[in-house]
Amino acid sequence: MKLPQIATFIVFAIMFSCNKEVDPYLITDQSIGLLTDSTQVKELKEIFGSDSIVNYSDGEEFTRDFNNIDVYSKEGEKLLTLTPKILGDSTSVIESVQIFSPKFKTDKAITSQSSFKDISDNYKITKINNIINNLVLSVDELNASFTIDKEELPSNLRFNMDLNIEKSQIPDKAKIKHFFVYWN
């Protein structure tokens, strides 16, 4: 009598462990929800079936080198901007993703609305680039970069691009301007 009960238990355990559902908003170094580093452009309609996908591929624009794909929710909220590795190729994988919606978050709750303190408390910032109007913080663990507007910095750090800005010089409350994940 016990053998059939044990066998039934094992079958159910296997079924439930195989049906592990993917969090549609979790950001990792290789995925953003159901979108992965090996997802092809042609698969996007299936992945974002309930959302709206807008593809900018008009060859007449002066920015024709860009072929960004914007993803909007049914309610019209901009969720993501995807950039394919190869322009105009439906079999191309996604090279980068810009995260707009705070629904998307890392396992340490970092979102597009996080602060510098949130990032630095949870991840190792591997590089800080000082560019014209922004700082770009790299987090290799996530294959991510975060942009912070220099307006968030003390005035003595805003205008000299030659300065090596250290983490200790960035205010804890500095807000993220842009959040990108890059896949090679």
Side-chain angles (χ1 to χ4, degrees):
M1 286 283 204
K2 290 194 179 214
L3 189 58
Q5 290 172 341
I6 293 172
T8 303
F9 175 76
I10 291 172
V11 168
F12 280 116
I14 291 171
M15 285 175 39
F16 285 112
S17 67
C18 291
N19 285 336
K20 187 176 181 184
E21 195 166 316
V22 175
D23 180 345
Y25 299 109
L26 180 65
I27 299 169
T28 72
D29 64 331
Q30 294 181 322
S31 67
I32 299 173
L34 300 173
L35 183 69
T36 70
D37 59 355
S38 60
T39 299
Q40 295 181 336
V41 171
K42 65 183 179 183
E43 299 170 308
L44 295 177
K45 286 184 182 176
E46 183 180 323
I47 292 170
F48 298 108
S50 63
D51 299 312
S52 177
I53 300 173
V54 180
N55 186 353
Y56 294 105
S57 59
D58 186 358
E60 299 302 315
E61 297 292 327
F62 69 92
T63 58
R64 67 177 164 233
D65 289 338
F66 297 102
N67 193 20
N68 291 337
I69 301 164
D70 290 333
V71 180
Y72 291 85
S73 70
K74 286 186 274 189
E75 297 78 27
E77 174 192 10
K78 189 171 188 178
L79 303 173
L80 306 167
T81 294
L82 316 173
T83 303
K85 191 171 212 142
I86 302 171
L87 306 177
D89 183 352
S90 67
T91 63
S92 175
V93 295
I94 302 302
E95 181 174 51
S96 67
V97 180
Q98 183 175 4
I99 294 115
F100 289 93
S101 173
K103 292 177 186 175
F104 293 92
K105 62 185 170 205
T106 69
D107 62 344
K108 297 177 182 175
I110 302 300
T111 73
S112 59
Q113 293 184 342
S114 294
S115 67
F116 172 74
K117 181 173 177 31
D118 298 330
I119 298 166
S120 63
D121 284 353
N122 289 287
Y123 294 100
K124 179 182 179 196
I125 297 172
T126 51
K127 188 173 184 182
I128 299 174
N129 287 327
N130 181 0
I131 58 177
I132 296 173
N133 294 317
N134 302 300
L135 295 179
V136 179
L137 314 175
S138 298
V139 176
D140 291 349
E141 179 181 346
L142 287 173
N143 292 327
S145 68
F146 301 90
T147 305
I148 293 177
D149 194 312
K150 282 189 176 177
E151 291 295 320
E152 300 276 347
L153 299 177
S155 59
N156 63 327
L157 300 176
R158 292 183 191 163
F159 305 107
N160 186 347
M161 289 182 5
D162 294 329
L163 286 176
N164 277 335
I165 296 179
E166 302 293 325
K167 290 186 271 190
S168 61
Q169 296 172 296
I170 303 171
D172 286 345
K173 65 181 189 230
K175 298 273 184 222
I176 293 173
K177 183 176 178 181
H178 302 292
F179 180 1
F180 287 93
V181 173
Y182 296 95
W183 296 321
N184 294 328

